[in-house]
Amino acid sequence: MTITVVDRSVLLHRCADGAFVMSDIPYVTVPSSARARSGVRAGQRVLVAADVAHDVLVVHPPSAVAAMLADYHADLAGGEPE
């Protein structure tokens, strides 16, 4: 698979000739270089979302989830996020 960081989230794409391999254990392992770029600490709980249409797993750190929720709630209230 290939691993890229977009904003604060880590994207894991299936790719036969990618540099990374998913293991058989039921955990998503994110390399330290991608964790550092996304602000995820080793062992930290994250939100993992599967985007089946694009064949990708997205790992969202708590800071990205908080930002998405702030934007969503601001839209609901008709205001700007704080």
Side-chain angles (χ1 to χ4, degrees):
M1 70 181 147
T2 61
I3 298 176
T4 55
V5 178
V6 177
D7 293 328
R8 289 173 272 197
S9 298
V10 180
L11 284 66
L12 297 93
H13 291 271
R14 184 178 4 211
C15 178
D17 61 347
F20 302 96
V21 177
M22 185 76 103
S23 69
D24 291 335
I25 61 172
Y27 295 97
V28 175
T29 304
V30 177
S32 61
S33 58
R35 285 196 320 268
R37 291 181 50 212
S38 66
V40 173
R41 296 183 316 271
Q44 183 178 32
R45 291 185 181 261
V46 295
L47 172 65
V48 178
D51 182 346
V52 177
H54 295 99
D55 200 25
V56 63
L57 281 178
V58 183
V59 178
H60 297 291
S63 60
V65 174
M68 287 184 275
L69 286 173
D71 289 345
Y72 178 75
H73 290 153
D75 286 344
L76 286 177
E80 292 294 318
E82 294 182 20

